Amino acid sequence: MNRIASIGAAALISLSATPVPAHAATAWTSCGTAAGLDPRQECTTLQVPLTYDRPGGGTISLAVSRIRTARPGLRRGVLLLIPGGPGSPGLSRPSTMVKRLPGAVLDRYDLIGFDPRGVGRSSPVSCGLAHEDLAPSRLKPYPSAGGDISENVAYARRFSEACARNGGPVLRTISTRNEARDIDAIRRALGEERLSYWGVSYGTYAGAVYATMFPGHTDRVILDSNDDPDPHKVARAWLANYSVGVEDRFPDFAAWAAEHDGEYGLGADGAAVRRTFLDLAERLDRDPIPWPGANPPRLDGGALRETMLNALYSDSGFPGLAGLMRAALGPGPLPEPSTAPDEALQNGAASVAATICDDVEWPGSVGLHRRLVARDRVAHPLTGGMPVNIGPCAYWPYRPAEAPVRVTSQGPSNVLLVQNLRDPATPYSGALRMREAFGRRARMVAVDSGGHGSYVVNGNACGDDTVTTFLVTGERPARDTICR
């Protein structure tokens, strides 16, 4: 569920279904035999308009999957699984979530997955970036030593120019408004009057936009790990929130590392672990360590910070981060790097950039970004100024075709927000702004846990039971609550 440039192997799942119009009954076939795919999962391909304001202007393919309920007599409808990212594939999510969701939910819903437009098997896009420009510490704009952003400016221009040359017509149509329209095309193709759905991370914003554009077609809405829906900033606010989220979450890692100081030697208390990390990141900015197999093949401060950010998504990432820090501090070799295939990174990078740049205009002033980075490095040193740095949207070749959606309280009161208190990517403070935007339509259950993703992910029984009860019975808490 990585926020920006998140990639998954599910993009490679094969489809053999015959495309059918979005308004027609769907024809389901096997999804294939990819590893981890549940044999019950079926796939189909819909044809939806390239641009909805010109229905005759061509179509694109939208890959959709499902696992039907085993108890049709209890079936309420469908539960659409909206993936995060943006840029994350979702075709295999029914196979993943059928293993996690409680039986009471599986009895009542067909699980529906899909690859958003431009992603995976849904008319995928690519900007044709060079291998070096697919480095994780470039896809997120980490400044160089001392906060210098010169390389980031050059990269942002290079990225946007590549997208202008190679992106093709689909790239210009990727936006959250169009994702909401595609979701409604899925609803119509399934023959459902109303849609229940579970959006995670960026999927919360896509789900909120759908609930705003098509309120009468919503049934039970779960938004998990919520984005700030500020219509003036949109993804600019999501990126900036990394600064806050990492500061909220890092103490969990620091406390864990202090408990394991005998193994990793990072510090005997949380404050010492924080100092170790900051000193190491600054040292690696000045003097990177060779890291064969990584992209780029060195461990610099940006690569360490990106590793830290990803590790904070789940407690299971703590040992990997601690091990990398221990190796960088000592004489031992660095661990084997983990890198995604360039093909998947190309698709993810293009679809992420298209979504966030097509949703809203971004400022292009280099001087402004220098000042923002300098301030943020002081206020939030763990992320090194990355969350407010310049990116491809500053030079994007296309202006947004539509204004961003303003999420409001107009519509049925059928939204439940679930949110970890210490989320590195979508912090609680941003989720409160989503709650405020929905007003009377929503309730929120906050969970006293860390990491990204809450429902059936972090083991908090109170939060899980609240969401399950809503999906099964429609009952929400009478007021916002916190599960300790």
Side-chain angles (χ1 to χ4, degrees), residues 52-79:
Y52 280 86
D53 60 345
R54 295 199 308 275
T59 63
I60 63 169
S61 298
L62 202 65
V64 182
S65 61
R66 76 173 179 186
I67 294 179
R68 288 183 288 182
T69 175
R71 302 188 65 182
L74 294 178
R75 183 184 184 275
R76 177 178 179 83
V78 300
L79 180 64

Side-chain angles (χ1 to χ4, degrees), residues 197-388:
Y197 54 89
W198 173 21
V200 179
S201 193
Y202 165 73
T204 64
Y205 180 66
V209 169
Y210 182 84
T212 304
M213 293 176 63
F214 302 97
H217 292 301
T218 59
D219 189 9
R220 295 170 183 172
V221 176
I222 302 293
L223 303 181
D224 180 344
S225 306
N226 290 267
D227 278 321
D228 180 347
D230 183 344
H232 303 292
K233 295 182 178 180
V234 196
R236 285 174 56 209
W238 309 341
L239 281 166
N241 278 344
Y242 273 128
S243 296
V244 177
V246 167
E247 294 287 351
D248 289 346
R249 172 65 165 154
F250 190 85
D252 290 345
F253 166 74
W256 178 91
E259 291 175 1
H260 296 81
D261 186 43
E263 180 178 359
Y264 296 103
L266 303 182
D269 57 46
V273 173
R274 181 184 176 94
R275 286 195 301 273
T276 299
F277 178 85
L278 291 173
D279 290 346
L280 178 59
E282 185 176 354
R283 191 191 86 191
L284 292 172
D285 280 338
R286 299 189 306 268
D287 188 16
I289 299 173
W291 199 6
N295 185 14
R298 63 181 184 271
L299 177 63
D300 56 18
L304 178 67
R305 294 180 184 99
E306 176 66 5
T307 302
M308 176 268 294
L309 175 56
N310 290 327
L312 297 184
Y313 274 54
S314 169
D315 290 4
S316 63
F318 291 176
L321 172 60
L324 179 62
M325 291 175 64
R326 177 182 60 189
L329 289 165
L334 296 180
E336 190 73 19
S338 175
T339 57
D342 276 9
E343 178 185 1
L345 289 168
Q346 290 281 13
N347 181 217
S351 56
V352 169
T355 305
I356 66 176
C357 301
D358 289 345
D359 269 359
V360 69
E361 290 195 65
W362 293 57
S365 167
V366 174
L368 170 65
H369 284 94
R370 285 199 180 101
R371 293 191 295 273
L372 292 173
V373 166
R375 287 200 297 265
D376 204 55
R377 284 170 60 86
V378 173
H380 307 105
L382 289 168
T383 42
M386 175 276 292
V388 295

Side-chain angles (χ1 to χ4, degrees), residues 197 207-219 221 406-417 434-444 470 476:
Y197 54 89
V209 169
Y210 182 84
T212 304
M213 293 176 63
F214 302 97
H217 292 301
T218 59
D219 189 9
V221 176
R406 179 182 292 276
V407 178
T408 74
S409 61
Q410 297 177 12
S413 182
N414 60 352
V415 179
L416 180 63
L417 313 182
M434 179 73 87
R435 173 68 183 89
E436 180 182 10
F438 269 120
R440 63 168 191 84
R441 294 192 68 181
R443 301 284 188 277
M444 174 184 280
F470 175 55
R476 298 178 304 175

